[in-house]
């Protein structure tokens, strides 16, 4: 076991139903530390990379619409990194089973998830399921300086002049 990091995403249905506070409260029962948090729009590219292991599933296309917000007409998701003893298992336990109908009623997915008419599991949160998956996902969703703890080896690079938005 030991200390480990895990990625949690509050999916578009969680945000649109104003469940952010409830979900964070449930996750705080784990006593894990939040070491990264941000609200972002999920691009199709990020969605495809995140769910690349499910690309051959019949529900894949709808899953991409789900995580990018197209399905709910709201493209916000909240991404969080939790850190601590047995973090992956602790978060998965509180998140509940993938299928919200099979999830324990007191779990996040059991309480807030549902199965859409299409069959897609709308289940409010994502949680990493292994150490390797957590590392891949955290490195996909976060840059090193966005996490307040040096989780994985990082290096400094010279960035050529770029353009960015500033307040007008
Ligand atoms: N999913 C689905 N139907 C399935 C399996 C998965 O709709 O039969 C969706 C569901 O939203 C799930 C996501 O695809 O959270 C990712 O699937 P995974 O097998 O990784 O489950 P998780 O790790 O999220 O429990
Ligand atoms: Mg998974």
């Amino acid at each position: 076991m030991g200390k480990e990091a895990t990625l949690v995403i509050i999916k578009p249905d969680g945000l649109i139903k104003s469940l952010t506070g409830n979900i964070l409260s449930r996750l705080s029962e784990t006593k894990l530390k939040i070491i990264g948090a941000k609200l972002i729009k999920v691009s199709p590219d990020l969605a495809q990379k995140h769910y690349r292991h499910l690309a051959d599933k019949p529900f894949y296309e709808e899953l991409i619409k789900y995580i990018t917000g197209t399905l709910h007409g709201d493209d916000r998701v909240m991404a969080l990194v939790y850190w601590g003893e047995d973090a992956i298992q602790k978060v998965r336990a509180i998140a509940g089973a993938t299928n919200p109908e099979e999830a324990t009623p007191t779990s996040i997915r059991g309480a807030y998830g549902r199965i859409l008419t299409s069959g897609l599991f709308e289940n409010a949160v994502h949680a990493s399921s292994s150490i390797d998956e957590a590392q891949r996902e955290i490195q996909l969703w976060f840059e090193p300086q966005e996490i307040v703890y040096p989780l994985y080896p990082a290096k400094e690079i010279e960035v050529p002049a770029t353009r960015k938005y500033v307040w007008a």
Side-chain angles (χ1 to χ4, degrees), residues 50-51 53-54 92 98 109 126-129 133 137:
H50 179 73
Y51 282 131
H53 59 295
L54 299 172
R92 289 285 295 188
T98 306
R109 288 164 163 183
H126 165 83
S128 309
S129 60
E133 189 180 85
E137 292 177 349

Side-chain angles (χ1 to χ4, degrees), residues 55-122:
D56 58 348
K57 301 285 186 210
F59 56 84
Y60 176 71
E61 252 177 59
E62 209 189 356
L63 180 60
I64 297 298
K65 284 192 190 149
Y66 175 23
I67 198 73
T68 54
T70 319
L71 215 57
H72 295 86
D74 188 331
D75 57 8
R76 297 167 302 147
V77 307
M78 186 167 218
L80 300 130
V81 180
Y82 281 84
W83 162 256
E85 197 70 35
D86 202 17
I88 293 166
Q89 186 39 45
K90 280 180 182 157
V91 171
R92 289 285 295 188
I94 283 194
T98 306
N99 179 340
E101 253 176 32
E102 287 170 5
T104 311
T106 52
S107 67
I108 294 167
R109 288 164 163 183
Y112 304 127
R114 61 175 179 159
I115 303 182
L116 302 184
T117 314
S118 63
L120 190 82
F121 302 159
E122 185 192 83

